[in-house]
């Protein structure tokens, strides 16, 4: 076990990394499926649901509001499980958000229809994450809320719903959280996002899952304002099958890229709205060979994705506005490339688990690198790096970025590697196994 102030010696790869890895279920899909199931009128089953801190926090939040969730079979070899969700009338309770954006932004919109007051709080880092836009939007829709950031309380209100604008420039989760709840608002919901909407694929994921569940969601064309209209009504439970988390797969694929190795990720979905799928084209642009091969002939859409690292990794110039969560992985690779990189369109990352732009610049430069923060991104001019401590800022993707750099730079120590448990339990164990190192009795380095 590790404490928040422990430093994990990131394993350096003495040879090209060669491995096949299986990735746990998508956190984004798991938590959306849990919300939709909780708002349905009949039970739902979720197969392949990720078991991690963020999904456990979502389960605990829904249980605190009266929803019954039964844990079924575990998936051998993965941090996945089957969940049965039995909806109940939502009641008041106390919600612990941790550092989970999906909990602090998806649960308040459904708390607005609870029969009692719902109190929200979270980790110290969560108290500075943007929340005002979604809380103000809920007030305009008729909700009664005390507070503008964590901690805050959502009190019982009368009829809720109708039409509202929301500044979604800080997070797509503001839009998704309201859309997920709109079907249960007596007046339905018309939502007009304003500003540049980051991480648009996550909104597409929300709309796609709502439609799979039978919810009527109509989206206006951009030239007509781009509003979303969610029709109120009953939604019956269903069976969900959760895809592997493609964003969580990216550090493992990066291991091939930076070590001239060959890494295969099993069960890569071809027809997906996950933003993590964009890593394929990014790796190709950086010089990697990317192979997507079907497994079997049953037409199931299951493929294996293999990445072969190049002799020399190249820098890239990318607008990552839709795929901001991939920035730490791409920045880590860029720091080990042979030409400069500019990653832009990601000003909203300043409001993620930490200010990821500032954190990436600070940590790359701490190891002797040359990174510069831009108005809406980061520039990285690769120069030789040296070992040292890499701080994680309680941010799972910062921790994995440090592990990637550590493959090529001996002596990197990642602070609080346990924070990866937010979405990837036992990441350090799986990473060491991939590199081919033996494990100590406690799962750390020998």
């Amino acid at each position: 076990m590790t404490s928040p102030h422990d430093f994990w010696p990131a394993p350096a790869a003495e040879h090209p990394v060669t491995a096949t890895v299986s990735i746990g279920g998508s956190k984004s899909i798991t938590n959306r499926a849990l919300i939709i199931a909780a708002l349905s009128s009949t039970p739902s089953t979720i197969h392949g649901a990720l078991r991690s801190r963020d999904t456990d926090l979502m389960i605990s939040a829904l249980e605190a509001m009266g929803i019954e969730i039964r844990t079924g079979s575990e998936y051998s070899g993965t941090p996945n499980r089957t969940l049965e969700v039995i909806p109940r009338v939502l009641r008041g309770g106390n919600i612990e958000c941790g550092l989970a954006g999906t909990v602090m932004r998806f649960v308040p919109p459904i708390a607005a229809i609870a029969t009692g007051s719902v109190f929200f709080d979270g980790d110290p880092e969560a108290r500075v994450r943007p929340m005002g836009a979604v809380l103000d939007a809920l007030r305009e829709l008729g909700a009664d809320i005390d507070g503008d950031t964590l901690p805050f309380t959502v009190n019982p209100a009368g009829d809720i719903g109708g039409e509202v604008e929301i500044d979604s420039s800080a997070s797509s989760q503001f839009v998704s959280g309201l859309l997920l709840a709109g079907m249960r608002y007596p007046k339905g919901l018309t939502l007009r996002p304003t500003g540049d909407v980051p991480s648009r694929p996550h909104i597409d994921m929300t709309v796609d899952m709502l439609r799979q569940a039978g919810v009527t969601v109509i989206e206006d064309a951009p030239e007509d304002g781009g509003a979303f209209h969610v029709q109120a009504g009953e939604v019956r439970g269903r069976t969900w099958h959760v895809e592997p988390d493609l964003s969580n797969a990216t550090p493992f694929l990066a291991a091939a890229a930076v070590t001239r190795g060959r890494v295969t990720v099993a069960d890569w979905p071809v027809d997906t709205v996950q933003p993590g799928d964009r890593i394929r084209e990014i790796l190709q642009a950086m010089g990697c060979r990317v192979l997507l091969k079907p497994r079997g002939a049953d037409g199931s859409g299951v493929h294996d994705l293999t990445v072969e690292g190049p002799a020399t990794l190249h820098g890239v110039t990318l607008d990552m506005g839709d795929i901001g969560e991939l920035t730490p992985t791409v920045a880590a690779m860029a720091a080990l490339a042979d030409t400069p990189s500019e990653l832009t369109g990601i000003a909203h990352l300043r409001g993620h688990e930490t200010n990821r732009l500032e954190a990436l610049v600070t940590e790359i430069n701490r190891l002797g690198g040359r990174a510069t923060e831009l108005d809406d991104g980061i520039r990285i001019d690769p120069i030789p790096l040296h070992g040292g401590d890499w701080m994680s800022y309680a941010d799972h993707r910062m921790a994995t970025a440090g592990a990637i750099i550590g493959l090529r730079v001996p002596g990197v120590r990642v602070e609080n590697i346990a924070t990866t448990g937010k979405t990837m339990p036992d990441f350090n164990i799986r990473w060491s196994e991939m590199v081919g190192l033996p494990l100590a009795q406690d799962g750390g380095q020998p």
Side-chain angles (χ1 to χ4, degrees), residues 11 35 48 69 97 130 213 232 236 313 316 361 366 395 405 424 430:
I35 291 283
I69 301 177
C97 299
R236 298 184 65 80
L313 196 65
V316 286
V361 167
R366 190 195 304 274
D395 184 333
I405 289 176
M424 278 195 287
R430 302 184 70 198

Side-chain angles (χ1 to χ4, degrees), residues 93-371:
N94 294 327
I95 305 298
E96 169 57 46
C97 299
L99 198 50
T102 50
V103 177
M104 68 176 67
R105 290 159 180 167
F106 290 4
V107 180
I110 69 171
I113 60 171
T115 59
S117 295
V118 183
F119 175 76
F120 291 81
D121 202 357
D123 292 356
E125 297 87 353
R127 294 182 176 183
V128 299
R129 295 190 69 177
M131 281 297 302
V134 71
L135 298 182
D136 287 344
L138 284 170
R139 289 186 179 101
E140 288 189 38
L141 292 169
D144 177 9
I145 301 173
D146 299 326
D148 295 307
T149 58
L150 289 170
F152 60 84
T153 300
V154 180
N155 301 302
D159 283 350
I160 186 170
E163 185 171 334
V164 69
E165 287 189 352
I166 185 169
D167 179 0
S168 54
S169 58
S171 176
S172 66
Q173 291 174 346
F174 296 161
V175 175
S176 287
L178 290 166
L179 292 178
L180 288 166
M183 61 180 171
R184 288 291 302 275
Y185 292 170
K187 300 177 183 178
L189 176 69
T190 292
L191 180 62
R192 302 184 185 279
T194 63
D196 294 329
V197 181
S199 303
R200 172 65 203 220
H202 280 113
I203 298 176
D204 295 336
M205 177 188 294
T206 300
V207 171
D208 180 67
M209 292 182 67
L210 285 168
R211 288 173 175 164
Q212 288 183 53
V215 179
T216 299
V217 183
I218 299 171
E219 182 180 358
D220 292 342
E223 58 268 23
D224 296 327
F228 296 90
H229 308 272
V230 182
Q231 183 176 306
E234 178 186 1
V235 175
R236 298 184 65 80
R238 68 187 304 275
T239 298
W240 297 95
H241 295 275
V242 179
E243 297 173 355
D245 194 312
L246 305 188
S247 294
N248 281 348
T250 64
F252 296 92
L253 298 174
V258 303
T259 68
R260 305 180 186 180
R262 191 175 195 272
V263 171
T264 296
V265 173
D267 301 326
W268 194 277
V270 176
D271 184 14
T272 180
V273 296
Q274 289 192 61
D277 189 48
R278 292 275 301 280
I279 194 65
R280 292 190 286 146
E281 63 190 66
I282 295 172
L283 288 166
Q284 285 180 316
M286 299 186 82
C288 298
R289 187 179 183 212
V290 179
L291 307 170
L292 189 63
K293 294 183 177 181
R295 179 159 18 96
D298 59 0
S300 63
V302 175
H303 289 59
D304 291 337
L305 179 69
T306 299
V307 170
E308 297 177 354
T312 303
L313 196 65
H314 306 309
V316 286
T317 298
L318 294 172
D319 181 340
M320 300 189 68
D322 283 345
I323 51 173
E325 66 190 52
L326 305 187
T327 300
T329 293
V330 177
M333 292 191 291
L336 301 170
D338 68 339
T339 55
S341 295
E342 281 198 7
L343 313 178
T344 58
I346 45 178
H348 62 283
L349 295 190
R350 293 186 173 97
H352 275 221
E353 282 82 345
T354 187
N355 180 338
R356 281 183 178 164
L357 299 184
E358 180 182 38
L360 285 166
V361 167
T362 299
E363 298 313 308
I364 291 172
N365 292 347
R366 190 195 304 274
L367 301 184
R370 185 181 295 151

Side-chain angles (χ1 to χ4, degrees), residues 46-59:
I46 306 173
H47 294 296
L50 176 67
R51 183 172 190 173
S52 69
R53 188 187 184 212
D54 273 19
T55 56
D56 284 346
L57 286 166
M58 180 64 81
I59 290 171

Side-chain angles (χ1 to χ4, degrees), residues 28-47:
S28 297
I29 295 176
T30 297
N31 278 355
R32 283 165 172 79
L34 281 165
I35 291 283
I36 295 171
L39 297 178
S40 299
S41 60
T42 58
S44 297
T45 301
I46 306 173
H47 294 296

